Amino acid sequence: MTGWQSADMADVWLKVAVQRNRMMATATERMFAQAGVREGARVLDVGTGTGDTALMLAHRVGPTGEVVATDMAPAMVSAAATAARESGFTNVKTAVMDLSSPLGDVGVFDAAVGRCVLMFVEDLPLALSRLRGVLRPAGRFAAIVWAELEDNPFNAIPIAAVRKRREMPTPPPELVKAFSLSSASDLQRTFEGAGFGSVVVERVALTREFPAFADAAKVLHEIPLYRELLSLLPEEEHSEAVAEIEQGYRAFVRADGTVAFPQVTLVVAGSA
Ligand SMILES: C[S@@+](CC[C@H](N)C(=O)[O-])C[C@H]1O[C@@H](n2cnc3c(N)ncnc32)[C@H](O)[C@@H]1O
């Protein structure tokens, strides 16, 4: 079982949905545009989490289209199903789907998307060729991944604080895995190697904002991904590392007390 399937992950993911969707908005728009999402389309959403992108897609494809929202974590899928029901969408289906396994009988899609999921998939070339196999000819798959750590200080700072004190284990914590696809040229090659054509990779800059410093610092203790990383350190080093991370974060406090971290994503897309 990975951290994604832990009991509190879906609850925490739901809690920070508004902030996440605000931060990811520009990249999400590019992902939908690159996937060619349009009214009436049948769209597969992989690694949907609590279903944020599935609901946005449901709105775009309308009642004549369909969204199949999938994730390997049953608690995430269940939260996505509840969100779709509560939002009144009748064009969203949900299913547990692990991209590291055969996709099963899911039918044919006009488009597929995956926001911040591909980095966690064990055999990505195999998963990509399976995804290509469920798209209609020329159907597009578009995904968002994180660019290099140095462009993402909110994560680079805690990862550096832990790396300084301890060698990363194998497999690394999920937060470190999140940066495993940050080379645009490697990503392009992986998509092409899986048989995708017309592959494009765009860099999309975002901002991660917090109303106050305490809100940024709280993430280290509240979000399981950061807790997992910091749990690699023994008690005495743990508090020392947290103090160092908070010190690093202070550079991003603005004059009005709000906090803004630059973030960079890669939006990758290809045609089946
Ligand atoms: C960073 S979250 C992103 C969730 C959602 N796409 C969003 O943007 O809010 C990563 C998601 O990928 C899912 N995931 C991780 N590995 C997966 C795999 N092998 N197959 C399918 N989903 C996976 C996790 O359960 C988690 O919900």
Side-chain angles (χ1 to χ4, degrees):
M1 178 186 276
T2 72
W4 295 113
Q5 288 152 311
S6 72
D8 63 342
M9 187 63 101
D11 289 344
V12 173
W13 210 252
L14 268 177
K15 231 171 86 179
V16 291
V18 172
Q19 186 208 357
R20 173 176 59 251
N21 288 323
R22 195 182 307 129
M23 169 177 80
M24 299 299 292
T26 323
T28 306
E29 280 306 316
R30 287 309 302 150
M31 176 176 76
F32 291 163
Q34 283 292 354
V37 172
R38 57 179 62 86
E39 199 174 340
R42 184 164 192 259
V43 184
L44 174 66
D45 187 8
V46 296
T48 191
T50 48
D52 309 359
T53 43
L55 266 51
M56 296 173 210
L57 288 165
H59 181 69
R60 277 155 206 250
V61 302
T64 57
E66 182 178 69
V67 179
V68 180
T70 67
D71 198 284
M72 75 167 181
M76 292 288 197
V77 175
S78 155
T82 303
R85 201 173 44 248
E86 286 177 352
S87 306
F89 286 115
T90 52
N91 57 351
V92 178
K93 278 191 188 152
T94 54
V96 173
M97 178 192 280
D98 185 343
L99 291 175
S100 299
S101 307
L103 302 187
D105 187 11
V106 287
V108 176
F109 294 91
D110 299 301
V113 300
R115 190 173 78 173
C116 300
V117 56
L118 297 185
M119 313 78 115
F120 307 109
V121 175
E122 262 164 45
D123 186 343
L124 185 58
L126 180 58
L128 287 177
S129 58
R130 283 173 176 151
L131 280 171
R132 191 171 56 80
V134 299
L135 287 169
R136 65 162 167 76
R140 301 269 294 168
F141 172 52
I144 299 174
V145 302
W146 291 110
E148 296 81 0
L149 258 182
E150 57 265 33
D151 291 329
N152 290 287
F154 187 75
N155 295 310
I157 291 170
I159 289 173
V162 172
R163 271 211 175 109
K164 189 171 139 182
R165 295 172 169 84
R166 192 198 191 291
E167 207 179 303
M168 283 298 165
T170 309
E174 299 297 298
L175 195 69
V176 173
K177 277 194 210 161
F179 292 87
S180 58
L181 296 179
S182 51
S183 155
S185 52
D186 287 355
L187 198 56
Q188 170 117 18
R189 266 194 298 276
T190 307
F191 266 63
E192 287 168 351
F196 282 101
S198 310
V199 177
V200 288
V201 183
E202 292 175 32
R203 286 174 75 79
V204 180
L206 312 170
T207 307
R208 187 189 290 253
E209 289 182 296
F210 297 94
F213 180 78
D215 300 297
K218 207 164 63 178
V219 169
L220 300 173
H221 310 286
E222 287 192 347
I223 307 277
L225 295 176
Y226 296 85
R227 287 208 308 261
E228 181 199 18
L229 174 77
L230 286 162
S231 73
L232 295 174
L233 300 176
E235 186 84 7
E236 53 304 348
E237 285 183 321
H238 186 280
S239 33
E240 192 185 281
V242 168
E244 190 176 301
I245 297 162
E246 288 185 358
Q247 185 59 30
Y249 280 180
R250 288 203 183 275
F252 300 90
V253 179
R254 297 188 280 211
D256 64 358
T258 60
V259 194
F261 294 87
Q263 300 261 166
V264 182
T265 57
L266 300 176
V267 179
V268 56
S271 298

